[in-house]
Amino acid sequence: MEYYNKVIESVGVRYVKGNNFKIERPVTITDYTDSENTAILLHRGSLNYGEDQESVNEGEILFIPASRPTRVSFGTVTKRNETNNENFLENKKKYLQTISFKNIKNLDDDCITTVTFEAKVFDVVNFFYSLGIPAFVIRFNDRIASIIEDVVKESEQNTPGKERVIKLYTELLVVELVRHILKNRLFVEELSTNSTYFKDPRLIDMFNYIKKNIGGDLSNKVLAKVANVSEDYVGQYFKMLTGINPQDYIEYQRMEAAVELLRTTKKSIRDIGKEVGYKDTAYFCRRFKMMYGLPAGKMRRRESLINVQ
């Protein structure tokens, strides 16, 4: 238990967004994904996920780890209602209508509440992504459902301390998610084996070096010097502790840094690509679209597309 306490204490949490939606038109997104973690609480109607389209019951939560493409269906759909993540984001107003929390209780329509948040170990590693776990449904957990509702209720307020309260609720949400995983023996093996990076300071040194030098030379030769291991061994060493090879991890971190720059600056796509380590702009754009399902140039509109008004 002390180990899991250390895990939880090491995870930094940041609220990204929260919304209530009425399902305007049923839709299946074949590769639904977000760069951060998403919890979807179903109030009424139909919600299915995965290749087998497993059902989520009313009052249950679908949890989708960051950057894990998942087949998701809102409402009762047919083959004609299928689309990909890029088209879904571009046309989200056709499918989902933003509503206030107080209106949910008065609606007979299908409706959901979503909360998106960041959870990073030592402010570096995306925690749930690093575990390698798929999307899963949270059943029989009214506490997590209530926290999700409280986050969005607070986000709709205009009162002193609002940001602080949202942060506290979001941190509580992450703690309760880990508790739910442990209590129900869900992915406990992944939690035990894929989070071994907590135990090795040399790996943490590499994580921190990658973060601080995201646009520089991050070859295995450089990482080997940082960790004080041989160049031939560093890839095996990194994968043994994290479950992924270092260059895949570096690409993921570079893309996360690119997303943040696209959201917060007016720098050109070319300059952002160079800043996060890509000299070839075309290659950067191809890899970006492959990871997120939409071109880098459209990411600047992502907030307005996702937070439908």
Side-chain angles (χ1 to χ4, degrees):
M1 190 56 62
E2 182 180 348
Y3 171 67
Y4 292 121
N5 283 333
K6 184 178 179 182
V7 169
I8 291 171
E9 288 299 318
S10 301
V11 176
V13 178
R14 181 177 68 88
Y15 168 79
V16 178
K17 56 184 173 287
N19 287 101
N20 302 299
F21 294 111
K22 181 180 77 169
I23 311 302
E24 284 285 293
R25 181 185 300 181
V27 62
T28 293
I29 304 98
T30 56
D31 57 343
Y32 183 96
T33 186
D34 196 286
S35 57
E36 305 301 348
N37 309 284
T38 303
I40 305 174
L41 169 62
L42 177 65
H43 293 286
R44 272 183 301 282
S46 178
L47 174 62
N48 300 81
Y49 75 101
E51 291 306 312
D52 295 331
Q53 288 292 274
E54 183 176 348
S55 295
V56 179
N57 298 316
E58 293 180 1
E60 296 177 344
I61 302 105
L62 174 61
F63 178 67
I64 305 175
S67 301
R68 294 287 178 201
T70 306
R71 186 181 182 89
V72 176
S73 298
F74 298 109
T76 304
V77 296
T78 65
K79 189 73 174 178
R80 291 180 301 173
N81 302 119
E82 287 190 1
T83 189
N84 60 32
N85 199 56
E86 179 181 353
N87 289 332
F88 172 68
L89 293 177
E90 288 182 338
N91 299 284
K92 195 166 183 179
K93 288 183 178 180
K94 287 168 49 178
Y95 304 109
L96 303 179
Q97 177 185 330
T98 303
I99 58 174
S100 67
F101 194 87
K102 64 182 180 180
N103 289 334
I104 287 179
K105 305 301 180 184
N106 301 321
L107 280 178
D108 293 325
D109 304 90
D110 292 12
C111 51
I112 58 174
T113 294
T114 68
V115 171
T116 303
F117 61 92
E118 177 184 276
K120 289 188 175 179
V121 181
F122 304 114
D123 197 33
V124 178
V125 185
N126 194 307
F127 176 62
F128 291 105
Y129 177 86
S130 73
L131 297 180
I133 62 177
F136 65 95
V137 63
I138 301 169
R139 306 191 192 277
F140 313 114
N141 197 319
D142 292 340
R143 181 165 173 77
I144 291 180
S146 294
I147 294 169
I148 291 170
E149 291 181 347
D150 288 340
V151 170
V152 179
K153 284 178 184 176
E154 190 67 29
S155 71
E156 293 179 349
Q157 304 300 314
N158 186 22
T159 53
K162 168 183 171 178
E163 300 301 325
R164 181 74 176 272
V165 171
I166 289 175
K167 183 177 186 296
L168 291 171
Y169 280 143
T170 309
E171 289 177 343
L172 182 58
L173 175 59
V174 171
V175 171
E176 291 296 335
L177 282 168
V178 175
R179 287 178 174 177
H180 182 85
I181 288 172
L182 294 174
K183 180 180 178 181
N184 293 279
R185 308 296 298 172
L186 302 172
F187 320 113
V188 173
E189 183 177 348
E190 290 89 339
L191 191 60
S192 298
T193 58
N194 292 3
S195 57
T196 50
Y197 42 75
F198 292 102
K199 302 175 181 177
D200 198 314
R202 293 176 299 175
L203 191 60
I204 300 303
D205 288 342
M206 279 199 284
F207 285 151
N208 287 326
Y209 184 87
I210 290 168
K211 182 180 181 181
K212 292 176 182 176
N213 299 277
I214 199 67
D217 182 1
L218 294 174
S219 62
N220 281 7
K221 181 177 181 179
V222 171
L223 296 181
K225 290 181 180 178
V226 173
N228 196 27
V229 298
S230 71
E231 183 179 350
D232 292 337
Y233 177 64
V234 69
Q236 180 184 341
Y237 165 76
F238 192 98
K239 187 170 184 177
M240 178 177 65
L241 293 176
T242 65
I244 59 175
N245 72 59
Q247 294 309 315
D248 285 346
Y249 170 78
I250 288 165
E251 179 170 55
Y252 177 75
Q253 293 301 317
R254 282 176 163 159
M255 290 302 177
E256 278 211 322
V259 169
E260 187 64 20
L261 289 170
L262 286 164
R263 286 173 169 171
T264 60
T265 75
K266 295 183 179 181
K267 294 179 180 179
S268 68
I269 303 299
R270 180 181 180 181
D271 287 344
I272 287 174
K274 286 183 177 179
E275 190 167 330
V276 299
Y278 292 88
K279 295 179 181 179
D280 186 332
T281 304
Y283 178 72
F284 165 67
C285 290
R286 286 198 302 273
R287 297 302 298 172
F288 189 98
K289 185 174 181 180
M290 184 175 294
M291 181 169 288
Y292 294 114
L294 73 165
K298 293 183 179 180
M299 184 59 81
R300 284 206 165 95
R301 294 193 290 132
R302 190 177 180 87
E303 292 304 315
S304 60
L305 289 167
I306 293 176
N307 295 306
V308 182
Q309 298 301 322

